[in-house]
Amino acid sequence: MYWTLIVILFPILCAAAAARIYERRTESLFAIAVSAITFLGSVANVFLVRGGALYTWGLGTLGIFESMLRLDSLSALFSLFSSFVWLAAAIYMYSYMRYEEHITSFYTYFLITLGATQGIFLAGNFIVLLVFFELMSFTSGAWVKHHESQEAEQAESLYHHLSLAAGVFMGVAVILLYLAGVAPVVGSPAVNPRSTTPFIWAVLLLMGAFGIKAGMFPLHIWLPKAHPVAPTPASALLSGILIKTGAYGLIRIGQLVNWGQTALIPWAGTLLVVVGSITMLLGVCLALLQGNAKRLLAYHSVSQMGYIILGIGAALFLKNDGAFGIAGAVLHSLNHALFKSALFFGVGIIILGTGEADLYKLGGLWKRFPLTGIMMLIAALGITGTPGLNGYISKTLLHHGILEAAATGRPIMVWAERIFTLVGVGTTASFIKLMGLAFLGKQKTPVKFNRGENKALAVAMLMLSAAMLVIGTMPEWALGLLVEPAAESCGTVGLSVLGHVDFFTWPAIRGMLLTLLAGFLLFAVGMKTHLFHLQLPKWLSIDWAVRTAWKKLVQITRGGEQVEK
């Protein structure tokens, strides 16, 4: 367990040293070194748990001190890919942060957040997880506020309040678990709770807490506000890694309810399927309407998290037959971290070079940023599920999972499968829009800052692209080494079916190609009819509804006083 302590405490302790470094190059190299050591520690942990080993660490034999940290294949995998992306972000920052102010505070929070995120994935109980969850929320909130603009202040305020609500939900849930006679231990199923009602409410509150961080509908409203205002490396980590703490928590909730074996919450899987489907569809529809590249990617984070929530829900619903759903959710968490971080890195390079994030003011950048264009193309193909890339593998697993749920004849599951296909079409259309408007056609905005591609930026994107290609072309290796052990440590049974999946049969490839073709057609129609410029009325905005409800609530509590806008 020594490496487990290192990957958590080492970055946090090093943050104190980073706070005293005021030279840009030294600070960047220091962050790269700390991130690299953390990554090596996570690699060591993966090898440590090979064969299904489980390690716990505590300071006593009673209560929360008995199991403070937990290392199994699931926590090791989430720790591994988060530290890998963090290392890529640190390398990317070597060049990117030279154009930013207040870099000392940014690097300090960068390292603290790394340690806190590792702490979430490696926590042995929900109380320890809550401590690291709150630390991560506080330090990552500083990223959102970094530029100190009015928009950044507002985004950070929303992020802070929702994170605080998530912490309250989790804290109350822990109390309710104790009242239900269930130990709040991560990775252990609830066996014969003493009281049913507190247990059900605890699970619902945990779903709400992790759903906020995961960007789950209707708790997603912080993502499209936080991502565009944060520096690009922060946007990449917020979208690629930090929202995975929500996905990780939802998977652990699946363990808590014993993957649907308990009759206490038989509707938990159906609830997550419904919410996941809405999250997928809402996210992709709003992404199609965006002109700002970072906001488009932010809404796609909402949509892609919907895929993961859907997979977890399908696994809960199918009980012993949910291997495809949970395996797809785990792999898609890894895949999304890779291609979404790469896409944010690419958009960051474009913004550095042109000073412009509006896609309709870009164009023709292929010649000026050829490597960025290629790397972003690989990431875009990955997120759309093109055969040969990583997203195709995880989406195939997820589709198998929801197809099995739909085969039960439940109308909700049948519609969820239809929405799954529809969202794939919308995803393709929006990334054709992103790549086409940015790189093809006539160049509308000059590269006026002379900030082109360089080695550090290229290495960071190449790391992620190489991982995407390896998973996409060697899925059996990724499944056998990473995904199956992680799914097995969740308590999932029936994983042997994963070894019989032939990802590259003609019917499977044909179905995905038809989805991609439909996406091209949707893009053409959307551009021709100006559908993508549609302005939705305020009352359709979840954000507007929440703010209006909040103002009304404050007004009532103040005895009818007017509340400032």
Side-chain angles (χ1 to χ4, degrees), residues 532-543:
F532 300 150
H533 293 280
L534 180 66
Q535 296 292 323
L536 297 177
K538 280 187 176 181
W539 56 268
L540 278 177
S541 168
I542 301 294
D543 182 25

Side-chain angles (χ1 to χ4, degrees), residues 82-156:
S82 64
S83 62
F84 176 73
V85 173
W86 223 281
L87 175 58
I91 295 171
Y92 182 89
M93 287 160 57
Y94 180 84
S95 294
Y96 184 92
M97 293 307 292
R98 72 179 63 172
Y99 306 111
E100 291 283 345
E101 301 295 332
H102 316 299
I103 66 163
T104 298
S105 61
F106 186 90
Y107 274 110
T108 302
Y109 290 127
F110 175 84
L111 293 177
I112 296 175
T113 309
L114 169 58
T117 305
Q118 293 291 321
I120 291 172
F121 295 141
L122 296 165
N125 62 64
F126 285 105
I127 298 175
V128 175
L129 193 153
L130 173 59
V131 171
F132 285 117
F133 190 87
E134 288 298 287
L135 178 60
M136 179 197 71
S137 297
F138 173 77
T139 54
S140 58
W143 294 347
V144 179
K145 194 179 178 180
H146 182 78
H147 288 139
E148 299 181 348
S149 64
Q150 183 179 359
E151 187 180 3
E153 297 270 357
Q154 292 173 349
E156 190 276 334

Side-chain angles (χ1 to χ4, degrees), residues 11-27:
I12 295 175
L13 295 175
C14 287
R20 295 184 172 274
I21 301 174
Y22 299 102
E23 200 276 321
R24 289 177 182 266
R25 185 172 181 273
T26 303
E27 190 122 45

